[in-house]
Amino acid sequence: MGLRGFIAKRLVYMLILIWAVITINFLIFSMLPGNPMEAYVAGLKKLDEERYNELKKHFGLDKPLHEQYILSLRNMLTFNLGISFRSGTQVSDEIFQRRLPNTLLLMGVSTVTSIIVGMLIGVIVAYKRGSLLDTGMVTVSLATYSVPIFFIGWIIIFIFAIQLGWFPTGGTVPPTWGRLPPTNIIETITGRLSHIILPAFTLFLFGFGGWILLTRACILETITEDYVLTARAKGLKERTILYKHVLKNAALPLVTNVALSFAFMVSGAIITETLFSYDGMGLLTWKALTPPALPVLQSIFYILALCVIFANFIADLLYGVLDPRVKYG
Amino acid sequence: MGEKMATRKEKMGFAFKRFRGFWKQFKRSKRGVTGVGIVVFFTCLAIFAPLISPYEAIDPQVGREKYPYFGPVTGRKIAGSLCKPTWYKYVPWVPRGQVKLEERFYNLIIKEYGLEFQLFGREGEENATDIVLRLTKRVATVESITAMFPNGTSRDLLPDEWKLDPMRPREISIVKRYPDGTRFTVTYLTGTDVVENIEIVPDHTFTSSESFDYWTWQTTHPELVSVNYNSEKGYHNDGCIEISYNPTGTLGEKANVTLSRRFEYPYMEPPRSFFIHYSICVEGSPDSEVIMNIMFYKETETEPELFPLIAIPKQPGPYSHDGITSIRPEVIQNVKCSPATDRIFATAGNYTFSVQIIFPEEKNVKVYLDNLDCVIYGNAFGILGTDNAEPFPRDLFSSIVYGTRVSLIVGVLSALFSTLIGLFLGLVSGYVGGIVDEGIMRFADLLLVLPTLPLFIVLIVALQQVAGFVSIWNIIIIITFFGWMSFARSVRSMVLSLRERAFVEAAKAAGAGKLHIINRHILPNVFALVYVTLATSVPGAIILEASLSWLGLGDPRVPSWGKILYDFNASGTAVAMGLTEYWFWIFPACICIALLATAFILMGYALDEILNPRLRERR
């Protein structure tokens, strides 16, 4: 089987995962004893008759279970996520046009920086294993690993936003943009940047400790291999050995972890966004919690899961392309 | 059989020896010992929480059932809301004494029904609704009031352009009308202090005769009025103060008796609020009414300053209960200031709390006083202050101590369960193989891919819809169910390699069954991994539980660290000022979560170093 077959297989696997996510969503909301969705929609009846009828139709609550299931499959696949109770707009519009791009930007920036910085430090630390730097960095990353992200965020707000006053405490864009939108590109970039730096830094700190530990472990795994000894015997420079021979081989398990860490970062992003009132999926989650809006939460989970599944798909492909030892199939 | 097998005692001896050897190795790892130390510390906190924490964590009240006015089981609150820690008084940079403050206001001219109103609002706040400049602190002296006009010019107001009513020392009324959008900056001196609660009455239910000795009493007619301790007539028959009035002939004037208790108010700043509770019962003929006066006196060099709080007539009948709180101005008929405490405790000094009974009719009367309490609530309380729960603010230190229990239970139990599930599924998947293996691993892959927190949120909110609330057991089950996958994977790969080893082959050749091989040959080899995973998966569970509670999805009935943080989030003070001013509300809980999680990680790391010798050699 060639590369095309490999991609096809991964693609099928991805589709199965998407189907599983939709099914899980359906199971949680319709099969849990007491049927949460029905309870939720029935709770709405007193408040808003029109809304109640609309939701009932959207979820097909008057139809038998298997038809409900097929309806939910169709709704989810076509991103027909219903109409928002608060704004009256399509939930999918709100998510795709505003929330998701913001979240992806935030997560992209912080994930990429945390991977690069974490891997660099990890390599250095693994090379100087047993030194003071090593012990220090490992302890630091163990600590960042175990410090809850809201604590990191609060400390960062406290230091950089309140004490030093360098950046705003929260928001996505400067509040004045509502009245007078930015006129030139530089203003747009600086305005957005000043609001994204602190949450991105928080997420970065949340993620990079794990990368240090992982890189260190992977490098230690390969550094004692025979070919490294051979390289050394050949008289290659330490730097060449480290980056060309060791890191290249150690990087493979790291690639798979990129996708998994994406799922991990999603959890962090939800809390970070709430903390910084950053207008993304996380803030939407927080807003959908009081009072609980089940359909919105369901959509958020579905979209975020889709993103993670897609990231996994890309990582799988990358892995296949990067590692010549992977036999397609 | 007994001869060859080791006895139970010997077995325990072996186990003990093994443990000693292990501990000897473990002691060498500084990280591990630190971790164990922290975990032991928190475990002690959790076990001895009722002894360590002075108050209940969820709904703390003082003297339940002792304040009948509020209800049969209710007590009084332990402190005002949002108190700072009491040790602030030892911190040198916390301002105490006289300080200068500056506050800014804007004005707004509103035209309604042909009339013009000038309203004032605090700068940065949404609406202007006050007709006066309402300052946050009581004014000692106004230094200056500067008006900045919309055209950019500014000037200080002259003393006759504003007025400060001595009865309302927080409100400055502006006499003249100024153009719309004028900004005022008020600079004033005020007292600021760390005010602790003062309990004026030591034993307010009068359970013993000593409690009566704290009180002094005086009367206009000592020959007719007597005040005693009565051990039987109190509310719930537990003792009270008995005042009897036996007039002889016609007196021509009203007799009265005053019970008082002197106390010192040592602070520069008025308290947040005060609270008075009393139960009174009058015995006598139907028309023998008495009048009850409650007041505070302040001693001054000349005449004492009097602050009457309430004056009510009481007819004969059974016990009636009443309370005066300074946050309910309608009860405090004679205290004209809001908040009332501003005037009463404006400065430090010696005060007297007194209850006066006046006998307008010359009839034989007996008056019983019980549950007579007076508490002054300051702005500082406990080791870590209080939160903003209403009507009973919580002691944050107690919340943190009790929160240890939740974090430890959730963390350890979900780690234990998920490790066990992972171990079991990993063993099955690795050893049985085939379709079972494929099924389990694909399922694990699926669960690994799902973003955890959004899924948990969805699950918990769905549970909330059905059951009304989520218990911590629900949370443990959910965390367990989504926590076993990566461990199952590593157990499986380990089993796959162990399965091919020579000793397993040998056991198979000797005719050992599958169960025997798993039990005797594979499990012991996997177990090192189990300990490490146990330790390293606790922090994840702790943080996950804290994050869920942080989002308000925890069990509302148990005090967890995350719940403290959620209360902070939901209080609305969370932004900017909240962090600096109320750091003691969130940072201790955050530090506890981080410490406990770090401790388990350190322990896991140390275990890994010992039990996974390969790593040790490399280092």
PDB file of all heavy atoms in Angstrom, chain B residues 73-97:
ATOM      1  N   VAL B  73     -33.041  27.288  64.398  1.00  0.00           N
ATOM      2  CA  VAL B  73     -31.714  26.673  64.361  1.00  0.00           C
ATOM      3  C   VAL B  73     -30.636  27.654  63.912  1.00  0.00           C
ATOM      4  O   VAL B  73     -29.481  27.285  63.776  1.00  0.00           O
ATOM      5  CB  VAL B  73     -31.680  25.458  63.403  1.00  0.00           C
ATOM      6  CG1 VAL B  73     -32.488  24.328  63.970  1.00  0.00           C
ATOM      7  CG2 VAL B  73     -32.139  25.841  62.027  1.00  0.00           C
ATOM      8  N   THR B  74     -30.999  28.885  63.682  1.00  0.00           N
ATOM      9  CA  THR B  74     -30.042  29.814  63.117  1.00  0.00           C
ATOM     10  C   THR B  74     -29.189  30.451  64.202  1.00  0.00           C
ATOM     11  O   THR B  74     -29.634  30.641  65.334  1.00  0.00           O
ATOM     12  CB  THR B  74     -30.780  30.913  62.338  1.00  0.00           C
ATOM     13  OG1 THR B  74     -31.843  30.306  61.655  1.00  0.00           O
ATOM     14  CG2 THR B  74     -29.880  31.594  61.369  1.00  0.00           C
ATOM     15  N   GLY B  75     -27.975  30.767  63.848  1.00  0.00           N
ATOM     16  CA  GLY B  75     -27.110  31.529  64.730  1.00  0.00           C
ATOM     17  C   GLY B  75     -26.827  32.868  64.103  1.00  0.00           C
ATOM     18  O   GLY B  75     -27.509  33.275  63.166  1.00  0.00           O
ATOM     19  N   ARG B  76     -25.810  33.514  64.609  1.00  0.00           N
ATOM     20  CA  ARG B  76     -25.428  34.772  63.959  1.00  0.00           C
ATOM     21  C   ARG B  76     -24.230  34.511  63.073  1.00  0.00           C
ATOM     22  O   ARG B  76     -23.539  33.510  63.219  1.00  0.00           O
ATOM     23  CB  ARG B  76     -25.111  35.832  65.003  1.00  0.00           C
ATOM     24  CG  ARG B  76     -23.914  35.492  65.886  1.00  0.00           C
ATOM     25  CD  ARG B  76     -23.553  36.671  66.748  1.00  0.00           C
ATOM     26  NE  ARG B  76     -22.541  36.299  67.723  1.00  0.00           N
ATOM     27  CZ  ARG B  76     -21.240  36.357  67.483  1.00  0.00           C
ATOM     28  NH1 ARG B  76     -20.800  36.716  66.309  1.00  0.00           N
ATOM     29  NH2 ARG B  76     -20.373  36.026  68.421  1.00  0.00           N
ATOM     30  N   LYS B  77     -23.984  35.437  62.139  1.00  0.00           N
ATOM     31  CA  LYS B  77     -22.838  35.252  61.243  1.00  0.00           C
ATOM     32  C   LYS B  77     -21.545  35.395  62.021  1.00  0.00           C
ATOM     33  O   LYS B  77     -21.506  36.057  63.062  1.00  0.00           O
ATOM     34  CB  LYS B  77     -22.906  36.245  60.089  1.00  0.00           C
ATOM     35  CG  LYS B  77     -22.829  37.698  60.490  1.00  0.00           C
ATOM     36  CD  LYS B  77     -22.899  38.581  59.249  1.00  0.00           C
ATOM     37  CE  LYS B  77     -22.900  40.053  59.628  1.00  0.00           C
ATOM     38  NZ  LYS B  77     -23.001  40.936  58.479  1.00  0.00           N
ATOM     39  N   ILE B  78     -20.496  34.758  61.506  1.00  0.00           N
ATOM     40  CA  ILE B  78     -19.242  34.797  62.250  1.00  0.00           C
ATOM     41  C   ILE B  78     -18.515  36.116  62.048  1.00  0.00           C
ATOM     42  O   ILE B  78     -17.780  36.561  62.916  1.00  0.00           O
ATOM     43  CB  ILE B  78     -18.312  33.627  61.849  1.00  0.00           C
ATOM     44  CG1 ILE B  78     -18.100  33.607  60.342  1.00  0.00           C
ATOM     45  CG2 ILE B  78     -18.862  32.315  62.328  1.00  0.00           C
ATOM     46  CD1 ILE B  78     -17.021  32.663  59.907  1.00  0.00           C
ATOM     47  N   ALA B  79     -18.726  36.743  60.905  1.00  0.00           N
ATOM     48  CA  ALA B  79     -18.027  37.997  60.631  1.00  0.00           C
ATOM     49  C   ALA B  79     -18.693  38.660  59.448  1.00  0.00           C
ATOM     50  O   ALA B  79     -19.532  38.064  58.788  1.00  0.00           O
ATOM     51  CB  ALA B  79     -16.561  37.743  60.324  1.00  0.00           C
ATOM     52  N   GLY B  80     -18.300  39.878  59.190  1.00  0.00           N
ATOM     53  CA  GLY B  80     -18.800  40.561  58.010  1.00  0.00           C
ATOM     54  C   GLY B  80     -18.230  39.916  56.761  1.00  0.00           C
ATOM     55  O   GLY B  80     -17.279  39.136  56.832  1.00  0.00           O
ATOM     56  N   SER B  81     -18.802  40.242  55.595  1.00  0.00           N
ATOM     57  CA  SER B  81     -18.284  39.632  54.381  1.00  0.00           C
ATOM     58  C   SER B  81     -17.048  40.381  53.906  1.00  0.00           C
ATOM     59  O   SER B  81     -16.854  41.554  54.219  1.00  0.00           O
ATOM     60  CB  SER B  81     -19.351  39.646  53.294  1.00  0.00           C
ATOM     61  OG  SER B  81     -19.687  40.951  52.983  1.00  0.00           O
ATOM     62  N   LEU B  82     -16.204  39.648  53.182  1.00  0.00           N
ATOM     63  CA  LEU B  82     -14.982  40.198  52.598  1.00  0.00           C
ATOM     64  C   LEU B  82     -14.074  40.853  53.633  1.00  0.00           C
ATOM     65  O   LEU B  82     -13.552  41.944  53.417  1.00  0.00           O
ATOM     66  CB  LEU B  82     -15.317  41.207  51.491  1.00  0.00           C
ATOM     67  CG  LEU B  82     -16.042  40.626  50.283  1.00  0.00           C
ATOM     68  CD1 LEU B  82     -16.388  41.722  49.310  1.00  0.00           C
ATOM     69  CD2 LEU B  82     -15.187  39.584  49.611  1.00  0.00           C
ATOM     70  N   CYS B  83     -13.899  40.179  54.767  1.00  0.00           N
ATOM     71  CA  CYS B  83     -12.966  40.682  55.765  1.00  0.00           C
ATOM     72  C   CYS B  83     -11.540  40.356  55.338  1.00  0.00           C
ATOM     73  O   CYS B  83     -11.294  39.381  54.660  1.00  0.00           O
ATOM     74  CB  CYS B  83     -13.222  40.020  57.115  1.00  0.00           C
ATOM     75  SG  CYS B  83     -14.677  40.638  57.920  1.00  0.00           S
ATOM     76  N   LYS B  84     -10.611  41.198  55.770  1.00  0.00           N
ATOM     77  CA  LYS B  84      -9.215  40.858  55.523  1.00  0.00           C
ATOM     78  C   LYS B  84      -8.683  40.040  56.695  1.00  0.00           C
ATOM     79  O   LYS B  84      -9.330  39.971  57.739  1.00  0.00           O
ATOM     80  CB  LYS B  84      -8.387  42.120  55.311  1.00  0.00           C
ATOM     81  CG  LYS B  84      -8.843  43.311  56.097  1.00  0.00           C
ATOM     82  CD  LYS B  84      -8.118  44.564  55.655  1.00  0.00           C
ATOM     83  CE  LYS B  84      -8.703  45.769  56.350  1.00  0.00           C
ATOM     84  NZ  LYS B  84      -8.237  47.031  55.960  1.00  0.00           N
ATOM     85  N   PRO B  85      -7.521  39.432  56.526  1.00  0.00           N
ATOM     86  CA  PRO B  85      -6.964  38.655  57.628  1.00  0.00           C
ATOM     87  C   PRO B  85      -6.608  39.556  58.814  1.00  0.00           C
ATOM     88  O   PRO B  85      -6.218  40.700  58.616  1.00  0.00           O
ATOM     89  CB  PRO B  85      -5.687  38.046  57.036  1.00  0.00           C
ATOM     90  CG  PRO B  85      -5.822  38.163  55.575  1.00  0.00           C
ATOM     91  CD  PRO B  85      -6.705  39.327  55.307  1.00  0.00           C
ATOM     92  N   THR B  86      -6.733  39.016  60.016  1.00  0.00           N
ATOM     93  CA  THR B  86      -6.439  39.846  61.192  1.00  0.00           C
ATOM     94  C   THR B  86      -4.967  40.192  61.305  1.00  0.00           C
ATOM     95  O   THR B  86      -4.631  41.218  61.879  1.00  0.00           O
ATOM     96  CB  THR B  86      -6.833  39.139  62.499  1.00  0.00           C
ATOM     97  OG1 THR B  86      -6.779  37.760  62.298  1.00  0.00           O
ATOM     98  CG2 THR B  86      -8.192  39.547  62.939  1.00  0.00           C
ATOM     99  N   TRP B  87      -4.101  39.348  60.754  1.00  0.00           N
ATOM    100  CA  TRP B  87      -2.672  39.643  60.931  1.00  0.00           C
ATOM    101  C   TRP B  87      -2.234  40.834  60.098  1.00  0.00           C
ATOM    102  O   TRP B  87      -1.085  41.233  60.143  1.00  0.00           O
ATOM    103  CB  TRP B  87      -1.804  38.429  60.648  1.00  0.00           C
ATOM    104  CG  TRP B  87      -2.115  37.686  59.391  1.00  0.00           C
ATOM    105  CD1 TRP B  87      -2.866  36.556  59.286  1.00  0.00           C
ATOM    106  CD2 TRP B  87      -1.701  38.015  58.072  1.00  0.00           C
ATOM    107  NE1 TRP B  87      -2.948  36.157  57.988  1.00  0.00           N
ATOM    108  CE2 TRP B  87      -2.241  37.028  57.215  1.00  0.00           C
ATOM    109  CE3 TRP B  87      -0.932  39.029  57.516  1.00  0.00           C
ATOM    110  CZ2 TRP B  87      -2.037  37.045  55.835  1.00  0.00           C
ATOM    111  CZ3 TRP B  87      -0.731  39.042  56.145  1.00  0.00           C
ATOM    112  CH2 TRP B  87      -1.275  38.062  55.332  1.00  0.00           C
ATOM    113  N   TYR B  88      -3.145  41.418  59.345  1.00  0.00           N
ATOM    114  CA  TYR B  88      -2.824  42.653  58.637  1.00  0.00           C
ATOM    115  C   TYR B  88      -2.351  43.728  59.601  1.00  0.00           C
ATOM    116  O   TYR B  88      -1.635  44.636  59.217  1.00  0.00           O
ATOM    117  CB  TYR B  88      -4.068  43.166  57.894  1.00  0.00           C
ATOM    118  CG  TYR B  88      -4.109  42.812  56.440  1.00  0.00           C
ATOM    119  CD1 TYR B  88      -3.650  41.577  56.009  1.00  0.00           C
ATOM    120  CD2 TYR B  88      -4.613  43.700  55.492  1.00  0.00           C
ATOM    121  CE1 TYR B  88      -3.697  41.247  54.673  1.00  0.00           C
ATOM    122  CE2 TYR B  88      -4.653  43.368  54.159  1.00  0.00           C
ATOM    123  CZ  TYR B  88      -4.200  42.144  53.745  1.00  0.00           C
ATOM    124  OH  TYR B  88      -4.243  41.821  52.423  1.00  0.00           O
ATOM    125  N   LYS B  89      -2.781  43.627  60.883  1.00  0.00           N
ATOM    126  CA  LYS B  89      -2.394  44.686  61.820  1.00  0.00           C
ATOM    127  C   LYS B  89      -0.904  44.637  62.131  1.00  0.00           C
ATOM    128  O   LYS B  89      -0.346  45.595  62.640  1.00  0.00           O
ATOM    129  CB  LYS B  89      -3.219  44.584  63.092  1.00  0.00           C
ATOM    130  CG  LYS B  89      -3.059  43.299  63.848  1.00  0.00           C
ATOM    131  CD  LYS B  89      -4.007  43.270  65.034  1.00  0.00           C
ATOM    132  CE  LYS B  89      -3.988  41.878  65.640  1.00  0.00           C
ATOM    133  NZ  LYS B  89      -4.983  41.702  66.663  1.00  0.00           N
ATOM    134  N   TYR B  90      -0.264  43.491  61.848  1.00  0.00           N
ATOM    135  CA  TYR B  90       1.171  43.416  62.093  1.00  0.00           C
ATOM    136  C   TYR B  90       1.983  43.771  60.854  1.00  0.00           C
ATOM    137  O   TYR B  90       3.199  43.822  60.901  1.00  0.00           O
ATOM    138  CB  TYR B  90       1.566  42.011  62.554  1.00  0.00           C
ATOM    139  CG  TYR B  90       0.834  41.575  63.787  1.00  0.00           C
ATOM    140  CD1 TYR B  90      -0.047  40.496  63.754  1.00  0.00           C
ATOM    141  CD2 TYR B  90       1.004  42.259  64.987  1.00  0.00           C
ATOM    142  CE1 TYR B  90      -0.729  40.114  64.891  1.00  0.00           C
ATOM    143  CE2 TYR B  90       0.319  41.885  66.126  1.00  0.00           C
ATOM    144  CZ  TYR B  90      -0.548  40.814  66.063  1.00  0.00           C
ATOM    145  OH  TYR B  90      -1.222  40.428  67.179  1.00  0.00           O
ATOM    146  N   VAL B  91       1.290  43.929  59.714  1.00  0.00           N
ATOM    147  CA  VAL B  91       2.019  44.213  58.480  1.00  0.00           C
ATOM    148  C   VAL B  91       2.306  45.706  58.408  1.00  0.00           C
ATOM    149  O   VAL B  91       1.386  46.515  58.448  1.00  0.00           O
ATOM    150  CB  VAL B  91       1.187  43.782  57.255  1.00  0.00           C
ATOM    151  CG1 VAL B  91       1.937  44.089  55.969  1.00  0.00           C
ATOM    152  CG2 VAL B  91       0.888  42.303  57.337  1.00  0.00           C
ATOM    153  N   PRO B  92       3.585  46.084  58.334  1.00  0.00           N
ATOM    154  CA  PRO B  92       3.916  47.511  58.447  1.00  0.00           C
ATOM    155  C   PRO B  92       3.345  48.383  57.343  1.00  0.00           C
ATOM    156  O   PRO B  92       3.029  49.541  57.579  1.00  0.00           O
ATOM    157  CB  PRO B  92       5.454  47.514  58.424  1.00  0.00           C
ATOM    158  CG  PRO B  92       5.868  46.176  57.951  1.00  0.00           C
ATOM    159  CD  PRO B  92       4.770  45.226  58.283  1.00  0.00           C
ATOM    160  N   TRP B  93       3.205  47.848  56.124  1.00  0.00           N
ATOM    161  CA  TRP B  93       2.780  48.738  55.040  1.00  0.00           C
ATOM    162  C   TRP B  93       1.262  48.807  54.864  1.00  0.00           C
ATOM    163  O   TRP B  93       0.788  49.475  53.971  1.00  0.00           O
ATOM    164  CB  TRP B  93       3.454  48.349  53.737  1.00  0.00           C
ATOM    165  CG  TRP B  93       3.191  46.947  53.307  1.00  0.00           C
ATOM    166  CD1 TRP B  93       2.116  46.504  52.618  1.00  0.00           C
ATOM    167  CD2 TRP B  93       4.025  45.817  53.537  1.00  0.00           C
ATOM    168  NE1 TRP B  93       2.213  45.162  52.415  1.00  0.00           N
ATOM    169  CE2 TRP B  93       3.383  44.709  52.962  1.00  0.00           C
ATOM    170  CE3 TRP B  93       5.249  45.627  54.183  1.00  0.00           C
ATOM    171  CZ2 TRP B  93       3.930  43.420  53.024  1.00  0.00           C
ATOM    172  CZ3 TRP B  93       5.785  44.357  54.241  1.00  0.00           C
ATOM    173  CH2 TRP B  93       5.129  43.284  53.660  1.00  0.00           C
ATOM    174  N   VAL B  94       0.513  48.115  55.700  1.00  0.00           N
ATOM    175  CA  VAL B  94      -0.936  48.303  55.660  1.00  0.00           C
ATOM    176  C   VAL B  94      -1.252  49.586  56.416  1.00  0.00           C
ATOM    177  O   VAL B  94      -0.882  49.734  57.567  1.00  0.00           O
ATOM    178  CB  VAL B  94      -1.661  47.104  56.303  1.00  0.00           C
ATOM    179  CG1 VAL B  94      -3.120  47.424  56.510  1.00  0.00           C
ATOM    180  CG2 VAL B  94      -1.499  45.871  55.464  1.00  0.00           C
ATOM    181  N   PRO B  95      -1.891  50.570  55.748  1.00  0.00           N
ATOM    182  CA  PRO B  95      -2.099  51.861  56.408  1.00  0.00           C
ATOM    183  C   PRO B  95      -3.051  51.739  57.589  1.00  0.00           C
ATOM    184  O   PRO B  95      -4.101  51.118  57.499  1.00  0.00           O
ATOM    185  CB  PRO B  95      -2.705  52.723  55.294  1.00  0.00           C
ATOM    186  CG  PRO B  95      -3.283  51.758  54.335  1.00  0.00           C
ATOM    187  CD  PRO B  95      -2.454  50.529  54.405  1.00  0.00           C
ATOM    188  N   ARG B  96      -2.623  52.322  58.707  1.00  0.00           N
ATOM    189  CA  ARG B  96      -3.496  52.381  59.875  1.00  0.00           C
ATOM    190  C   ARG B  96      -3.373  53.770  60.450  1.00  0.00           C
ATOM    191  O   ARG B  96      -2.300  54.340  60.480  1.00  0.00           O
ATOM    192  CB  ARG B  96      -3.074  51.340  60.917  1.00  0.00           C
ATOM    193  CG  ARG B  96      -3.176  49.919  60.386  1.00  0.00           C
ATOM    194  CD  ARG B  96      -2.684  48.944  61.419  1.00  0.00           C
ATOM    195  NE  ARG B  96      -3.556  48.932  62.573  1.00  0.00           N
ATOM    196  CZ  ARG B  96      -3.196  48.426  63.746  1.00  0.00           C
ATOM    197  NH1 ARG B  96      -1.995  47.948  63.915  1.00  0.00           N
ATOM    198  NH2 ARG B  96      -4.041  48.415  64.751  1.00  0.00           N
ATOM    199  N   GLY B  97      -4.477  54.294  60.931  1.00  0.00           N
ATOM    200  CA  GLY B  97      -4.461  55.647  61.450  1.00  0.00           C
ATOM    201  C   GLY B  97      -5.041  56.590  60.426  1.00  0.00           C
ATOM    202  O   GLY B  97      -5.855  56.187  59.596  1.00  0.00           O
TER     203      GLY B  97
END
